[in-house]
Amino acid sequence: MSTLHTTYKYSVTVHSEDLAVVNCLRALSQFSQKKGNNRIPWGGTKDEDWKRDGSRITFRFTTTEYRAGFLATAKRLLPQQLWSFVQQSDNDPAKPQ
């Protein structure tokens, strides 16, 4: 695993049955990762990954602040009945896609 990806270890998993909401969450993860490669946070969230994982997707950030910012922005912009928090981890590094 590349060293770059290992720094994206602060994860959050969310659930949504709505693919449009999933796409919005992908964009919000990119927006929330203020420094570094802002495409890594949503790696591994392709449509087939989402379907395979029971409508769950995991985003990974370099800091807990970026992760918290992602959740706060999602809560502010997206109706809570369309998505939900599942879990988070401080040691769940991204993998190159």
Side-chain angles (χ1 to χ4, degrees):
M1 183 179 327
S2 83
T3 302
L4 175 62
H5 283 79
T6 61
T7 62
Y8 290 74
K9 66 178 186 171
Y10 300 100
S11 71
V12 60
T13 301
V14 298
H15 173 269
S16 179
E17 296 290 338
D18 189 324
L19 187 55
V21 171
V22 169
N23 279 287
C24 291
L25 290 165
R26 290 175 182 139
L28 291 177
S29 73
Q30 185 167 340
F31 171 80
S32 299
Q33 180 66 42
K34 303 296 185 192
K35 293 183 180 177
N37 184 335
N38 65 358
R39 295 182 64 163
I40 292 175
W42 52 272
T45 69
K46 294 183 283 303
D47 294 358
E48 58 266 19
D49 301 323
W50 168 72
K51 289 175 188 173
R52 179 198 66 222
D53 295 336
S55 302
R56 294 179 179 194
I57 50 176
T58 300
F59 300 99
R60 293 171 176 88
F61 302 92
T62 56
T63 69
T64 57
E65 290 81 12
Y66 292 159
R67 179 178 62 197
F70 165 77
L71 287 169
T73 303
K75 286 177 185 174
R76 181 172 61 88
L77 297 176
L78 299 173
Q80 288 286 270
Q81 66 270 23
L82 297 179
W83 70 280
S84 62
F85 170 87
V86 175
Q87 65 185 16
Q88 68 182 27
S89 171
D90 291 348
N91 192 24
D92 182 18
K95 296 171 183 67
Q97 298 299 306

